[in-house]
Amino acid sequence: MSKQKQTGEMTSSKKKTILSGIQPSGRLHLGNYFGAIRQHLDFQEKGDAFYFIANYHSLTSVQDGDRLRQYTFDVALDYLALGMDPEKCTFFAQSDVPQVLELAWILGTLTPVSMMEKGVSFKDKVAQGLQPNIGLFTYPVLQAADILIYHSDIVPVGADQKQNIEISRDLAARFNRVYEGDYLRIPEPYIVESVATVPGIDGRKMSKSYGNTIDIFDNGKTLKKKVMAVVTDSTPLEDPKNPDSCNVYALIRLFAGTEKNREIRKKYQAGGFGYGHAKKELLALVDDYFHEARARREQLVRHPDTVRDMLRDGGRKARERAEKVMEPVREVAGIVRHFSTL
Ligand code: ADP
Ligand code: TRP
């Protein structure tokens, strides 16, 4: 096997493989959009991008077949509506690449238990007094398999995923050391640090688990109700206000262009501009920003077979790539099979 250069820089002339996964575990919200999805969409233009719906990972928290099927389809709809283009990237479901589970097992045999015990989300669950299952315990090994099976160079993720990418790098290096060759490529994380945590309606980090989200595809009354519920302080309408300590402005600045941002900051500082006014601005901005995506989503909902065909094609491409990486991995590990999975 040829020696690959192990770097994640975007400067080389050869197209880099970019990979990321999205768990289908509920409706996508503004935090997901600005923290992850927007970067995924940008990266489609910058390399050979692979994006998948991590349905096996979601099994660690969603244990209801109909719900998981629905979430999986919804994430596909949402991404396609937001601009994921199957002509530009490979978009597929994790479960359409069974080789991933095979590699996860092999990597698991090289993973010290102590490494998983240090996992942040595993430790969180234990600290909350929950009894995590083995799936959650070994979640990072499956994530490593997701990444390594396509020879990914760059993995764009939120800062909370840093540790999992470190584990993937470690496991690739272990495999290469144990089996004495460059079988798996060491990936680089691409962490988007510039996007501050998007606040939810109650001012805490926007998160499904806090029930404080504004969802990307909320509209009409639901959207209005949520925007109007964003928590503010009680500065009187006529007084000047500080945009930088306001949850409404923290959301406005994500949507408004430079000019509009400047204009709204001035209004805050001048006084006579109440939080009700700010919320109206926010509502109009959100509505406008996702207007086209909403229309595309409505179209796609009416054509579920088109969506499934896209996923099927993406799955085929992903499987071909995965199989190329798996063949030498099986061979060197001495795993004998008498059939083909392609
Ligand atoms: P949730 O907290 O709602 O369960 P996830 O953990 O599924 O969200 O988030 C998936 C990705 O979306 C994360 O890796 C992170 O990059 C991004 N993300 C989620 N919430 C926020 C937020 N409030 N601000 C910025 N990014 C976020
Ligand atoms: N753990 C990721 C998250 O919760 C999802 C994920 C699964 C992923 N496999 C991946 C992300 C591989 C990047 C690469 O957001």
Side-chain angles (χ1 to χ4, degrees), residues 2 7 14-15 17 23 28 40 135 183 199 203 222 236 242 256 260 267 276 295-296 299 301 304 311 313 319:
S2 65
T7 165
K14 188 184 164 290
K15 259 194 172 182
T17 298
Q23 278 200 72
L28 297 169
H40 294 166
Y183 295 98
T222 314
N242 178 5
K260 184 82 182 164
K267 287 187 182 171
R296 268 200 300 270
Q299 270 298 110
V301 163
L311 290 176
D313 288 347
R319 260 193 323 276

Side-chain angles (χ1 to χ4, degrees), residues 21-37 39-40 79 139 156-161 192 195-200 204-213 254:
I22 317 101
Q23 278 200 72
S25 49
R27 302 191 56 179
L28 297 169
H29 54 73
L30 301 184
N32 299 142
Y33 183 78
F34 289 102
I37 301 172
Q39 284 67 249
H40 294 166
Y79 261 77
Y139 183 115
V157 281
D160 59 336
Q161 296 294 310
V192 190
V195 177
T197 302
V198 178
R204 292 187 291 171
K205 175 189 180 232
M206 187 177 288
S207 169
K208 274 189 300 289
S209 39
Y210 296 149
N212 65 355
T213 64
L254 298 169

Side-chain angles (χ1 to χ4, degrees), residues 317-329:
K317 280 203 274 174
R319 260 193 323 276
E320 279 168 14
R321 170 82 78 104
E323 186 56 27
K324 275 202 194 115
V325 176
M326 273 313 285
E327 269 174 18
V329 163

Side-chain angles (χ1 to χ4, degrees), residues 19-21 23 52 54 57 139 143 146-147 155 157 161 164:
L19 171 124
S20 199
Q23 278 200 72
F52 68 94
H57 278 111
Y139 183 115
Q143 182 156 349
D146 287 329
I147 296 171
V155 188
V157 281
Q161 296 294 310
N164 286 346

